[in-house]
Amino acid sequence: MMKKRNKLSLLLVLVLILSGCQLAREEEQVSQGRFIGIYLRSDRMGLLEAHEVPEVIYDEETETYDVKDEKGYFYFSPTVIKKDGESYMEQVSSGHLSDIRSTVSVGEAGGTAADVETVLYFTEKNQIFYPYRIRQDENGKVFMERSDAMGYQVDHLSALMLSEDASYDEIQNIEGYQMKFKVSFEYKEAPETVRIFEMGKDHAIRKETVLPASLSLEEYKPEKETAYLLIEYESSLEGEDSIERLLVSKEEESFPLYEKADGVLLKKLVPTLWEE
């Protein structure tokens, strides 16, 4: 299963607030450890005992974190303390969550405020997801904690809203941290065929490439005179054929292809090698 790791310079601290469709229910906050991420399962994980919850393992040799016997979808950013005492933030993801965007700001008192948004594309309707919080204590241990014994049903387009506010001073300047985290669920069929049209400046088709669903690309190199790409994703949605189109200009360095995996779609960005 694909994993993504990046060293981050920001501290992400999350606490989970969830509801099913256009969710609006607020979870009670848990004080033990920082909330650093989310773990989702679409089976009966909400009924598991504590000892059955997947374990987060730290490898001292590589100074990285991983999830043991993973069966779900996760994203978290633990603080890694290296042997020489240096610390950094590591982004750990199962690869199922797509379009991750984050912004961070620092207050005058030194506190941080961050916003994180991501999308989970699912291919089976009426799935029930069971959410777990991922936390890290002051000793560096990372663990999962059940957020709710209930599951949350998603259909077509739903969202999970996560947030946590920490301390403020007397003029409401952030002294600790503030985190807002949004996971959008979007129902999406895997494309059966992808067509790549290389377009000229006169908007005429110069070349067409057809990709069956089983074929993936590591990179794509348009011909020299190509002004832009037109990508068509053909799929059958609820028994009806549909086409989704995407324009890719020379300012864009990649375009997405989708791969079906475990009831969700992995969004893979294909580098575009434009010729000067």
Side-chain angles (χ1 to χ4, degrees):
M1 182 170 290
M2 177 176 66
K3 292 186 177 66
K4 299 178 181 177
R5 300 178 184 277
N6 292 299
K7 294 183 180 179
L8 304 180
S9 59
L10 19 140
L11 185 62
L12 299 183
V13 186
L14 314 174
V15 164
L16 197 54
I17 299 174
L18 296 162
S19 63
C21 185
Q22 304 303 323
L23 308 150
R25 179 157 75 148
E26 190 164 330
E27 299 275 346
E28 65 179 66
Q29 295 194 3
V30 181
S31 59
Q32 184 182 12
R34 301 181 297 107
F35 195 159
I36 61 170
I38 183 174
Y39 183 90
L40 298 168
R41 286 274 289 269
S42 58
D43 56 14
R44 301 297 295 177
M45 186 181 178
L47 303 178
L48 294 180
E49 298 296 332
H51 68 277
E52 298 177 295
V53 175
E55 183 181 1
V56 180
I57 300 174
Y58 177 65
D59 187 327
E60 294 186 0
E61 186 75 25
T62 60
E63 297 175 333
T64 59
Y65 288 86
D66 204 352
V67 176
K68 182 180 179 182
D69 300 328
E70 64 184 74
K71 293 182 180 179
Y73 323 122
F74 57 86
Y75 171 92
F76 62 100
S77 296
T79 299
V80 180
I81 307 297
K82 300 183 70 172
K83 295 181 179 66
D84 58 6
E86 180 186 351
S87 65
Y88 62 88
M89 299 302 299
E90 179 188 31
Q91 182 187 81
V92 185
S93 171
S94 62
H96 297 94
L97 296 171
S98 303
D99 304 327
I100 298 175
R101 294 179 296 174
S102 63
T103 58
V104 63
S105 58
V106 180
E108 293 181 3
T112 59
D115 287 278
V116 180
E117 293 188 18
T118 185
V119 179
L120 180 66
Y121 296 103
F122 65 99
T123 59
E124 299 173 8
K125 282 188 175 181
N126 301 317
Q127 287 200 61
I128 298 178
F129 289 92
Y130 293 87
Y132 271 60
R133 298 167 178 159
I134 302 178
R135 290 185 171 273
Q136 184 174 34
D137 65 20
E138 59 184 9
N139 297 316
K141 181 181 179 182
V142 177
F143 57 96
M144 295 189 186
E145 180 177 75
R146 179 159 50 191
S147 174
D148 198 317
M150 295 176 59
Y152 296 87
Q153 181 172 316
V154 299
D155 185 21
H156 285 87
L157 183 62
S158 306
L160 308 180
M161 301 299 296
L162 304 79
S163 68
E164 180 173 272
D165 293 334
S167 59
Y168 292 82
D169 61 20
E170 64 276 4
I171 59 173
Q172 296 300 300
N173 192 25
I174 302 171
E175 291 182 319
Y177 57 78
Q178 179 187 76
M179 170 58 67
K180 295 180 181 178
F181 195 101
K182 179 180 178 181
V183 181
S184 296
F185 292 90
E186 184 175 332
Y187 176 63
K188 190 177 184 68
E189 286 287 352
E192 298 170 358
T193 303
V194 177
R195 286 184 168 84
I196 304 174
F197 298 97
E198 297 184 15
M199 310 297 293
K201 292 182 179 179
D202 57 357
H203 307 297
I205 298 174
R206 303 179 61 85
K207 181 182 178 181
E208 177 183 354
T209 301
V210 180
L211 302 176
S214 58
L215 183 61
S216 183
L217 292 178
E218 294 301 321
E219 59 185 30
Y220 186 83
K221 186 175 182 179
E223 294 183 350
K224 187 173 182 179
E225 300 302 321
T226 303
Y228 63 94
L229 300 178
L230 172 62
I231 317 291
E232 288 189 348
Y233 306 89
E234 295 185 9
S235 60
S236 179
L237 187 63
E238 298 180 337
E240 295 185 5
D241 294 336
S242 67
I243 296 179
E244 181 181 343
R245 294 182 173 90
L246 175 68
L247 291 178
V248 181
S249 68
K250 284 193 172 183
E251 285 70 39
E252 298 174 78
E253 298 179 349
S254 62
F255 61 87
L257 291 179
Y258 298 90
E259 179 182 340
K260 197 169 183 178
D262 302 326
V264 300
L265 288 183
L266 304 181
K267 185 176 181 179
K268 177 184 177 181
L269 294 179
V270 179
T272 308
L273 307 180
W274 296 99
E275 213 176 312
E276 296 294 337

